[in-house]
Structure formats: C-alpha cells, structure tokens
Amino acid sequence: MAAFLQWRKFVFFDKDAVKDPTDGGKLLLLPKGISASDSGRGHIVLGDMEGQIWLLPRSLQLTSFQAYKLRVTHLFQLKQHSILVSVGQDEQGINPLVKVWNLDKRDSGNPLCTRIFPAVPSNKPAEVSCLSVHENLNFMAIGFTDGSVVLTKGDITRDRHSKTLTLHEGGCPVTGLAFRQMAKVTHLFVATLEKVFCYTLSIKEYPRVELDTHGCALRCSSLADPSQDSQFIVAGDDCVYLYQPDERGPCFAFDGHKLLAHWHRGYLFLLNRDLKSPSKSGFGSGGESSPSEKQVLTIYDLDNKFIAYSASFDDVIDVLAEWGSFYILTRDGKMFVLQEKDTQTKLEMLFKKNLFVMAINLAKSQHLDSDGLSEIFRQYGDHLYLKGDHDGAIQQYIRTIGKLEPSYVIRKFLDAQRIHNLTAYLQALHRQSLANADHTTLLLNCYTKLKDSSKLEEFIKSSESEVHFDVEIAIKVLRQAGYHSHAVFLAERHQHHEWYLKIQLEDLKNYQEGLRYIGRLPFEQTESNMKRYGKTLMHHVPEGTTALLKRLCTNYQPTGDCVEKANSEEFIPIFANNPRELKAFLEHMIEVDPRSSQGVYDTLLELRLQDWAHEKDPKEKAVRQGEALSLLRSDNTVFDKALVLCQMHNFKEGVLYLYEKGQLYQQIMHYHMQNEEYGKVVDACKRYGEQEGCLWEQALGYFARKEEDCKAYISEVLDHIDQKNLMPPLLVVQTLAHNSTATLSVIKDYLINELQRESQQIEDDERKISQYREETAHLRSEIQELKTSAKIFQKTKCNMCNSPLELPSVHFLCSHSFHQHCFESYAESDAECPTCTPENRKVMDLLRAQDQKRDLHEHFSRQLRSSNDGFSVVADYFGRGVFNKLTLVTDPPGSKAVGSLEVSLQRDLLIHTKRNS
C-alpha cells in the first residue's frame, strides 16, 4: 500500500475558465439542468433534465436535439465510432429507454437514431444506474439499482442482429461497469456498493469471478489504460484498489470521501468532498451535493508516484478529456480547462527541486527521446558529483553513453583518487562498443595503475563475440606497460600475428615459440615473417629455422590440401653467418626440386668451392672437387658467375671446364700459358685448332718469346703450321727472330719445305703461263682467220634442241647454230650465242676483278708506305670491307682457290704491319 501523503505535489496543469468565443470573451455558460455527460470523437456530449442532448465541438458552438420527452439520465460516447448511446425517459413511471444514435447521419437535421429498446432488467421496474458499451459495438451492459446487469450481445446498433440477457442479479445496486479487451479475451467488470465481480464474455457460459467483498459508490470506478495493464479501478473511502480479471492488484491509500473517479491519459482523477465542508448524504454516498459544497479534484500519476495537480471546485458535475486537455463541468454552468504543461517545463520544475529520479521516471513515462533522457542523466550526474557522491555520479554518467561526449566525463575523473570511477565508466563505454583507441589506452592504463590483474584479465579474456575494444591498441598499451603475457594472449587470440611475433621475439626472446607460431601461419604470412625475422631465428635456433625454410620452399601445407612453396633464392641472405645450414638448405632444394633457380645453384657452388679451398685432407679435397664439378656440369649455374667464382677460388678444373663449355679456346690456351704448362699449350692447339686456327700462330708467338729451351715445342708447332699452311714463312721467321734459343736448325726443315712448295708453285705457274700463251696465240690466229676468210657453217642440228636444222636458222662464228625460234626463246641478247654466254661472262668478271684488285693493291701499298700510322690505314680498309677473309694464307686444299693477287696483298699487309710495329 502506498501512502499518498508521502507523494510530492506539483502543479503540472494550468487552470483556465473556458470563454465563449462569440461573446467578447465572456465565460462560456453550459445549459441548465445537466444530468449526464461524456466526450469523444471530437466533441463533448451533455444531456439535460428536459430530454435534450447537447453537442459541444471544439469551436465551442453548442447545438442540441430533442432525444427524450422527459429527461436524459445516461450518455456513453464511443471513442472509435461516431455512435452515442443514451438512456432517458419519455413517459413518467415507464421503464427507461435506450437509444442508439449515429452522429454522422442525419434525420430531419438531427442525428439518426438507429435503435430504441426499453431497459428492462426483470419483471420489476428499476432505474438504470450505469452504462457501458464495448468499442467493437458487439457488447452493451446496463446496470440497475436492483442489482441487475443486462447484457446486449451482437450489433448494438440494430435490433435484429442482437440479443439481450440478464448477466448478473443481486440485491445491491450496480455502481460501475467496464469492458476489458486483451487479445481475443473480453471481460466485463461489475462493481456494486458491496462487491466487485468479473465476467469472461469470450467463454460461452460467461464464468464469473468475485474479486472483492467491498464496492464503491456511483461514478467511483473506471478502467485504466494499458500502461496500468487495463486494470479496473475502484475508489473507496479509504483506498483505491486495482483489479485484474482474476485477482486484486495493488492498492493506494488515498483517504477521503470519493465523489468521482476517472482515468484519463495515464492519470487518475479523484474528486473528494472537501473536509472542511459539511457532509451530505446521497445514493451510495455519491449523491448530488448542495450548491455551496466545496470539492477537491486531485490528479495522481500512479507510475511515478506524485500528485500532478490539486485544486478546489464548486459542485463538479464531471471531468472529461477531449482535444488534448481536461474539462471540468460545474453545476453553476461553468466549464474549466486543465492544460497539461509540456514535458520540458515539468522537468525543469523537477530539476529546480533536484528531483532527478522523479524526472527520469517522468521522462520515461512521457516517452521522451534518448537525447532528452541523456540530458537528465547528465544533470543528475553533475548534481551528484558536486555533492561528492562520485560513485552515484558515475552511474548516471554511464547512462549517458552514446549521447554525451565521453571526454566530458573523463576530465572530471582523471584525478588519481577517482580512478576507480573512471575505470567503471570506461568499462561501460567499451561494453557498448563506443570506445575509441584513446579510451582503450586509458582503461588499460587504469588497470595497470591499479595493478588490478583480475580485472585486466577479465577485460581482455572476454569472449570473441563480446570484444568491445581496439585489440591492436590494447596490445600496444599492454606491451608498453610490461604486461607481455597479456599482450601475447590478445595477439594470439585475435590473430594479430605480427604483434605476437614482435613480443615473443623482441621482448620475451622466446625464439623457439616464435618459430613454432610462424610454422602454423598461412603461407603468405609465414613467408613474410620469415623474411622479417629469419636472420634472428637463424642465429638462435638455426636447425629449426632451416627445417621450416625447407618446408616453406618445397611443400608448405599448414592447413587444407593446397600446397604452396616460396622462392628459395629470396631466403639465402638469412643464412649470412650460417654456411653449414645454408649448404644443407640449398642441397635439399636441388634434391627436391632440380629446377630450382640459378641463384640457388650459384650460391651452392660458392659454398662447395669454399669447402674445397679450405679442405686440407687430400681425399676429402678430391671429394669436394668432384661435388663442385658435378654442380658445374649440371648446366644450372650462370656461366659468368660460375666462372668468376672458380677464378676467385683458383679452381683450375672448373675454370678449364667453363672455358671449354663457352668455346673460349684462346682463354684455355692463355690459362696454360700463364701457368707455363707448355705441353698443355700444344695439347690445347691440337684439340681446338680446327675450331680456331689462330691458336697455332699464338702458340708459336708464345714459345718465341720464351728464353727457355722450347725447341721441341716450337718444332711441333711448326710442323702443324707447315702441314696446314697456316702462316707465311716470312712471318714465321720474323716471329722466331725474338727467341735467342731458336737457331736455324729449328726452322731448317720448315724453310726447306716452304721453299720446295714455292718452287713447285713457280713451276706450276710457269706451266700455266706457257699454256695460256699457246691458247692466246691459237685464239689470235682464229680471230685473224675469221677476219680474212669466209666461215662455212655445216652444222646439221640445232645446238639447243638437237633437232635437224630448218630454215630460218641462226649461225654464230663460234660454230654454234640454232633454229630461229629456239634462239628467240633462249637467247638473252641478239648479239651473243646462248651457249657461250655463261662462260664469256665468267671470263669478263674475272678480268674486271683482277683489274680492280690490281688498282686496289697499288693504291693500298702506296698509302701504307706514305702513312706514319700504318694501323689507321689498315683499320680504314677493314672498315670498308676490303678484307673479307680472316685467314692469313690461302684456303686449305679442297676449297676454292683465291687469286694470287689477293694472297700477296694479304701477305704484304701482314709483313708491312709487322715491320712497322
């Protein structure tokens, strides 16, 4: 039971007398003798003692129509339909009549009456005490003074679609009726002077429940709205009771003799007799009062437990709600309006009295938006903060999260003594996922300052679906504060791999765990982290790191069926100070994947050469040599790099192999020359002389510059030069002239052979000269004969088609004859014999070439003798393409002979150049 005396009183309504808009602002006067009233559908309905029903719209222009001949006793205006139900009398002593009016339809200017039926509870005449109509127009209940309740079921606006029955009987007058509709269940509350009942109308038998053994006077009951669960309100002299359909609910100790009880828009209106006024008797203690009686109207807010308004009035007839305000009708014909103050005004009134809890409750009941509520919470928090109640203040500030800027609160609690309050606020901020990185940093710093490990663990170890903070920021703060285990937990749980590895490897120095963690990551992340931390891991855990790299570069498969592999060459720098592990890694790579990149093979070659160079044991050194050579022979190394490596480590076998592989025959011979391996110089000439003939000439020059006794090697070289005719004798003599040990006996056999060859060549040339002279004399005699004697053509066959000649025919002095048609078909010129033309052209071309070479030789020799820089002249002629052969002597046997003029030109060039050098 709530004692209303403890409830605070406010003036949340403004009272004004309603004025007549048409009469200069005078008070609006109601009709006299009002006996019934109600409101709804935009107007106030009044009934008087003369049978008239008055309609007062918002314009306050009264209109009326005659509803009964004698008087109107009850009115019920439906809120959702323009249907008005009235009870009145047309004849004295006759049972009252119930009339149903459709206010939207007219009959001779008056509202249409759709139904009339007498209110008869039983065979005995009785007066109507109360009336209620269901908004669905399917139920109407009429209460009588004899304790009966008549229920009309069906369409109440028509006679044929409804039926009437007596629902309740008793000996005590019925004082109140109310329909309650919840979902599909319909109840009817019945109040008498002595008891309260509830009928369930949605069940065929209409079961009844007796709710209480005390009742109320007339007009002292009402039905609350859904905010109070549509409870039935019964106002007794001591208390106000609320009832559910099956039980009694709460009650409120509102003392005083009740004259009227209404429920309007969340407020309970109670009209009490003024205690200072004399008591008056009447029907059910609720009869009419004398004109001089004072009454007190009180408006209660049951939800928020305060009195919203209280004032005295003279002889109140009724309190009605319409047009957003409340209207009070008095018996002297006046009408007063109570206009509710707006929510903000009411809140400000509460704020001035520091009634923040009441303001919050009021705002919620008024459905104030979240911004308005947040402002109340802020003001309440400020009030508590100023009072020193920091714990209470922080609870109110927490309720502003999402609306109030967090910095407003944080600045107030940054003091070290209030760090607990600040922590609570920041926790709430994170729970609502409204914290930013700075808030997370501040909260974690609060935890660390308080050294509250349990709260810290609770914060970071919340389930993944409840994470309300920036994980990366949290990791940074925890790491900076030295809470490495907590930071590692967060990093691993939320898969911040880089932070996990950074803490494990850089802070905790837990290299084994870091390596294990990397080995479980997806391929791309494992690859990137090994490139980042590979050198560190290799330094501390070389074997494990090498094993992971082997797996990463061959068949990395942490999860699923997808196999990926990294580029092994990119990880070679990781092994900078670990050659043993690097060698194992590279050998594993070429074994698993023979198609590994050339960089892998080059690096492995370098490692094997280093091992070979540092090996002291002859047997092991031979093994290392074989390993290096096998790698070179695999053809997977880069030629230039491999050659440089072999040269750096003085790996003779590798250098010679690469020279031979690259066809660098001169380099092979020069290598032997540098090492003064005379026999291998000659062997190189024998092996590669066919591919590069100049090797013999270079070998001869090499031995010629040696002061040692190299006669045997010189003789062997000269024999080969002599056999292949690779050098002019004069050039051989000049070459050997630099060697003091090369006596005439060394080249005697060579010179004899050359002189014999020259003599043989001279004899051949003289023989050809004699032959050419004879041929020339013969040709001249033929020419003379042709000029002085007649030529007889006796050919019988065509030299072209070998068929017998027929006229016309063509004959040439060379004794060739042709059919004219054959000659015309095959001859390239009318003046030349088709058979002799090819040979004649060869002769002419040869003659022209000899003339050109003779002129070129004479011009070149003249320039070479007169020039101070013979090499520039030679270079100029080479650039012009004059010398189109690379050999210095005639072509070997079997090839086409070169003219003696060209050979002598080349010899003179070489000899002259040699002499000038």
Side-chain angles (χ1 to χ4, degrees):
M1 181 180 293
F4 80 98
L5 293 177
Q6 300 176 357
W7 289 17
R8 289 182 174 271
K9 294 183 179 181
F10 302 99
V11 183
F12 285 166
F13 290 87
D14 295 322
K15 173 187 172 184
D16 286 309
V18 179
K19 297 180 179 180
D20 190 344
T22 62
D23 194 7
K26 293 183 179 180
L27 295 179
L28 177 68
L29 295 177
L30 299 176
K32 295 181 180 180
I34 293 176
S35 56
S37 60
D38 204 356
S39 63
R41 300 297 291 181
H43 52 251
I44 294 175
V45 186
L46 306 173
D48 61 17
M49 298 298 292
E50 296 181 356
Q52 288 189 342
I53 294 178
W54 297 82
L55 300 176
L56 182 65
R58 191 164 192 174
S59 63
L60 303 180
Q61 300 293 325
L62 275 169
T63 60
S64 66
F65 64 92
Q66 192 70 39
Y68 295 91
K69 294 179 181 179
L70 293 182
R71 64 174 182 171
V72 179
T73 59
H74 296 82
L75 291 173
F76 194 96
Q77 171 64 56
L78 275 77
K79 304 301 184 286
Q80 300 177 13
H81 306 277
S82 295
I83 300 297
L84 173 66
V85 179
S86 62
V87 179
Q89 292 179 343
D90 280 341
E91 296 181 20
Q92 191 68 34
I94 303 297
N95 285 331
L97 293 177
V98 179
K99 294 184 180 182
V100 180
W101 308 89
N102 188 335
L103 301 181
D104 287 340
K105 297 182 180 181
R106 295 288 167 176
D107 181 14
S108 300
N110 295 328
L112 176 64
C113 183
T114 63
R115 183 182 182 187
I116 302 175
F117 65 94
V120 181
S122 60
N123 294 329
K124 298 178 182 180
E127 294 184 6
V128 174
S129 59
C130 53
L131 169 69
S132 183
V133 181
H134 198 294
E135 287 292 337
N136 63 11
L137 300 178
N138 286 325
F139 293 103
M140 180 193 302
I142 304 173
F144 294 89
T145 56
D146 65 354
S148 302
V149 176
V150 174
L151 179 67
T152 300
K153 184 178 181 182
D155 189 352
I156 66 168
T157 63
R158 299 183 183 182
D159 289 327
R160 354 177 244 190
H161 296 292
S162 64
K163 61 179 180 179
T164 302
L165 57 94
T166 300
L167 179 68
H168 178 81
E169 292 181 345
C172 192
V174 178
T175 58
L177 297 169
F179 287 101
R180 180 181 188 268
Q181 184 71 44
M182 294 297 290
K184 296 182 179 181
V185 181
T186 305
H187 295 97
L188 174 64
F189 289 101
V190 178
T192 68
L193 286 174
E194 297 178 350
K195 294 183 179 182
V196 179
F197 303 93
C198 180
Y199 288 86
T200 304
L201 303 183
S202 53
I203 299 177
K204 187 175 182 180
E205 291 78 12
Y206 305 137
R208 183 182 77 172
V209 176
E210 183 175 321
L211 298 176
D212 217 334
T213 56
H214 56 78
C216 64
L218 279 174
R219 304 196 305 167
C220 290
S221 64
S222 182
L223 189 72
D225 57 28
S227 68
Q228 290 292 331
D229 201 19
S230 299
Q231 298 182 91
F232 188 54
I233 299 173
V234 174
D237 287 344
D238 297 328
C239 295
V240 172
Y241 301 91
L242 278 67
Y243 297 93
Q244 294 282 359
D246 54 352
E247 62 180 354
R248 191 176 82 176
C251 65
F252 299 90
F254 298 151
D255 292 337
H257 182 66
K258 311 299 188 300
L259 302 175
L260 181 144
H262 275 315
W263 184 273
H264 291 303
R265 295 208 322 264
Y267 290 112
L268 173 63
F269 288 75
L270 290 182
L271 184 67
N272 292 5
R273 180 181 293 116
D274 194 340
L275 297 178
K276 299 177 182 179
S277 299
S279 176
K280 300 292 181 180
S281 61
F283 171 60
S285 300
E288 296 178 356
S289 303
S290 65
S292 61
E293 183 179 358
K294 287 287 185 178
Q295 299 165 348
V296 178
L297 178 66
T298 307
I299 304 176
Y300 296 93
D301 186 329
L302 299 185
D303 282 338
N304 300 309
K305 304 296 187 296
F306 65 81
I307 298 173
Y309 184 77
S310 181
S312 297
F313 293 90
D314 293 331
D315 292 340
V316 176
I317 298 175
D318 205 352
V319 179
L320 304 174
E322 195 63 37
W323 310 313
S325 301
F326 302 112
Y327 293 88
I328 302 169
L329 311 181
T330 59
R331 200 166 301 282
D332 58 1
K334 296 179 182 179
M335 184 166 68
F336 298 92
V337 59
L338 295 179
Q339 291 182 332
E340 188 175 5
K341 298 179 185 293
D342 62 86
T343 302
Q344 191 59 40
T345 301
K346 291 189 284 187
L347 292 175
E348 289 175 358
M349 295 172 65
L350 296 174
F351 294 157
K352 289 179 181 178
K353 298 181 179 181
N354 294 327
L355 300 175
F356 292 100
V357 175
M358 190 171 289
I360 292 169
N361 295 332
L362 175 64
K364 290 180 178 178
S365 64
Q366 298 287 326
H367 304 293
L368 194 66
D369 60 16
S370 57
D371 291 335
L373 280 172
S374 177
E375 178 61 21
I376 299 174
F377 297 141
R378 182 196 66 78
Q379 293 189 40
Y380 191 17
D382 291 346
H383 171 70
L384 295 175
Y385 182 84
L386 292 175
K387 286 176 61 179
D389 184 4
H390 298 126
D391 293 339
I394 206 66
Q395 293 304 316
Q396 298 306 316
Y397 286 134
I398 287 174
R399 301 169 79 178
T400 67
I401 290 176
K403 299 297 181 182
L404 181 63
E405 174 60 37
S407 59
Y408 177 86
V409 180
I410 293 173
R411 283 195 298 267
K412 290 179 177 292
F413 293 90
L414 280 177
D415 189 286
Q417 296 179 352
R418 300 169 191 167
I419 194 170
H420 292 281
N421 303 125
L422 179 59
T423 302
Y425 179 79
L426 293 171
Q427 284 176 332
L429 199 64
H430 281 81
R431 280 194 297 270
Q432 298 188 33
S433 300
L434 296 175
N436 58 27
D438 294 332
H439 300 147
T440 301
T441 302
L442 186 56
L443 177 58
L444 292 173
N445 283 328
C446 288
Y447 284 141
T448 55
K449 292 289 185 183
L450 294 172
K451 300 188 183 301
D452 193 345
S453 298
S454 60
K455 284 288 186 182
L456 181 59
E457 290 187 6
E458 180 183 351
F459 178 73
I460 67 174
K461 292 183 179 180
S462 57
S463 63
E464 294 188 15
S465 59
E466 297 177 357
V467 175
H468 307 292
F469 57 89
D470 188 321
V471 175
E472 187 171 0
I473 294 297
I475 295 172
K476 289 181 180 178
V477 175
L478 291 171
R479 183 191 183 201
Q480 187 176 6
Y483 285 79
H484 295 116
S485 60
H486 296 78
V488 164
F489 171 83
L490 275 182
E492 183 175 16
R493 181 173 187 176
H494 299 282
Q495 298 185 355
H496 285 264
H497 308 307
E498 292 186 2
W499 281 107
Y500 180 89
L501 294 172
K502 188 177 293 186
I503 297 170
Q504 288 283 18
L505 300 178
E506 297 179 11
D507 300 330
L508 301 178
K509 310 298 183 183
N510 194 347
Y511 304 107
Q512 192 67 44
E513 174 59 26
L515 183 63
R516 180 198 63 81
Y517 188 85
I518 293 176
R520 297 185 304 168
L521 296 178
F523 172 77
E524 292 81 4
Q525 297 180 14
T526 299
E527 183 181 26
S528 63
N529 281 297
M530 285 305 295
K531 290 178 181 178
R532 183 174 183 179
Y533 297 108
K535 288 185 178 180
T536 302
L537 292 172
M538 182 62 67
H539 178 71
H540 293 92
V541 279
E543 294 182 359
T545 305
T546 304
L548 177 56
L549 287 174
K550 288 179 180 179
R551 185 162 61 95
L552 180 64
C553 297
T554 52
N555 59 344
Y556 190 72
Q557 189 178 3
T559 57
D561 299 328
C562 181
V563 177
E564 299 178 85
K565 60 180 181 178
N567 184 359
S568 55
E569 189 174 354
E570 296 177 356
F571 295 97
I572 292 177
I574 291 175
F575 298 86
N577 298 318
N578 300 77
R580 184 172 62 87
E581 284 75 15
L582 176 58
K583 184 178 180 182
F585 171 71
L586 297 176
E587 288 178 344
H588 174 78
M589 289 305 305
I590 64 173
E591 179 182 354
V592 175
D593 184 11
R595 294 178 298 177
S596 295
S597 63
Q598 290 181 328
V600 172
Y601 282 92
D602 291 337
T603 307
L604 181 58
L605 174 63
E606 183 176 4
L607 292 173
R608 289 185 175 179
L609 288 175
Q610 289 176 356
D611 291 345
W612 172 85
H614 294 91
E615 184 60 53
K616 302 300 182 181
D617 186 358
K619 293 183 179 180
E620 288 296 326
K621 196 174 187 71
V623 173
R624 302 287 181 266
Q625 176 177 313
E627 291 176 349
L629 285 175
S630 65
L631 202 59
L632 289 173
R633 295 191 181 102
S634 65
D635 294 333
N636 289 306
T637 56
V638 178
F639 180 85
D640 295 338
K641 293 182 180 179
L643 182 57
V644 171
L645 289 173
C646 291
Q647 290 173 340
M648 286 173 56
H649 293 86
N650 197 23
F651 186 53
K652 175 180 177 181
E653 289 76 8
V655 171
L656 295 176
Y657 169 78
L658 291 173
Y659 282 161
E660 184 177 5
K661 178 181 177 181
Q663 298 181 355
L664 301 175
Y665 307 124
Q666 293 190 41
Q667 297 294 335
I668 294 174
M669 193 173 68
H670 289 163
Y671 184 84
H672 293 312
M673 290 177 178
Q674 291 174 0
N675 291 281
E676 297 184 347
E677 298 171 339
Y678 302 149
K680 292 184 177 181
V681 170
V682 177
D683 291 339
C685 291
K686 292 178 180 179
R687 292 183 61 185
Y688 312 117
E690 295 294 331
Q691 291 89 340
E692 199 160 347
C694 63
L695 295 180
W696 291 103
E697 302 167 16
Q698 296 176 9
L700 182 62
Y702 170 72
F703 289 122
R705 290 191 294 272
K706 291 295 182 180
E707 295 300 327
E708 296 89 350
D709 185 4
C710 298
K711 294 180 181 179
Y713 300 109
I714 293 175
S715 299
E716 189 174 0
V717 172
L718 284 176
D719 289 341
H720 195 83
I721 291 175
D722 184 29
Q723 293 173 9
K724 301 295 185 179
N725 193 19
L726 298 177
M727 293 177 64
L730 182 58
L731 183 57
V732 171
V733 173
Q734 290 179 344
T735 301
L736 293 176
H738 298 285
N739 191 303
S740 60
T741 62
T743 59
L744 184 61
S745 61
V746 176
I747 61 172
K748 179 180 68 174
D749 294 336
Y750 169 76
L751 292 176
I752 292 172
N753 291 335
E754 285 296 324
L755 291 173
Q756 289 176 349
R757 188 180 294 109
E758 289 292 337
S759 299
Q760 183 66 37
Q761 184 67 37
I762 292 171
E763 292 177 0
D764 292 341
D765 291 342
E766 289 178 349
R767 186 174 57 255
K768 288 182 178 180
I769 291 171
S770 176
Q771 179 184 348
Y772 290 154
R773 284 176 177 173
E774 291 177 0
E775 291 176 356
T776 301
H778 177 70
L779 289 174
R780 285 175 177 173
S781 64
E782 286 185 357
I783 292 171
Q784 183 63 30
E785 183 180 356
L786 289 173
K787 287 181 178 180
T788 58
S789 304
K791 181 68 173 179
I792 299 174
F793 300 102
Q794 295 178 343
K795 286 282 187 178
T796 59
K797 292 185 178 182
C798 175
N799 286 93
M800 191 64 68
C801 65
N802 206 25
S803 298
L805 283 172
E806 297 177 356
L807 295 177
S809 58
V810 179
H811 303 275
F812 285 91
L813 294 176
C814 59
S815 300
H816 294 141
S817 301
F818 307 92
H819 292 113
Q820 185 173 359
H821 63 272
C822 289
F823 175 75
E824 291 175 353
S825 299
Y826 294 100
E828 296 180 7
S829 173
D830 293 342
E832 289 184 306
C833 171
T835 302
C836 298
T837 296
E839 187 65 25
N840 292 339
R841 287 187 177 177
K842 290 181 181 180
V843 173
M844 295 303 295
D845 290 341
L846 184 58
L847 292 174
R848 281 195 296 271
Q850 288 179 347
D851 290 340
Q852 292 176 358
K853 289 180 179 180
R854 182 172 57 252
D855 295 340
L856 180 61
H857 177 247
E858 294 175 355
H859 183 66
F860 173 71
S861 299
R862 186 167 57 253
Q863 276 190 316
L864 193 61
R865 286 191 296 269
S866 63
S867 175
N868 295 326
D869 187 2
F871 183 78
S872 298
V873 176
V874 175
D876 178 57
Y877 273 80
F878 265 110
R880 289 157 58 184
V882 173
F883 308 106
N884 55 2
K885 291 187 68 64
L886 298 177
T887 56
L888 301 177
V889 294
T890 56
D891 290 338
S895 62
K896 185 176 180 181
V898 181
S900 60
L901 180 62
E902 183 179 354
V903 174
S904 62
L905 178 63
Q906 292 180 351
R907 288 175 178 170
D908 291 347
L909 168 63
L910 184 58
I911 293 171
H912 192 77
T913 304
K914 188 72 174 178
R915 185 182 302 116
N916 293 337
S917 60

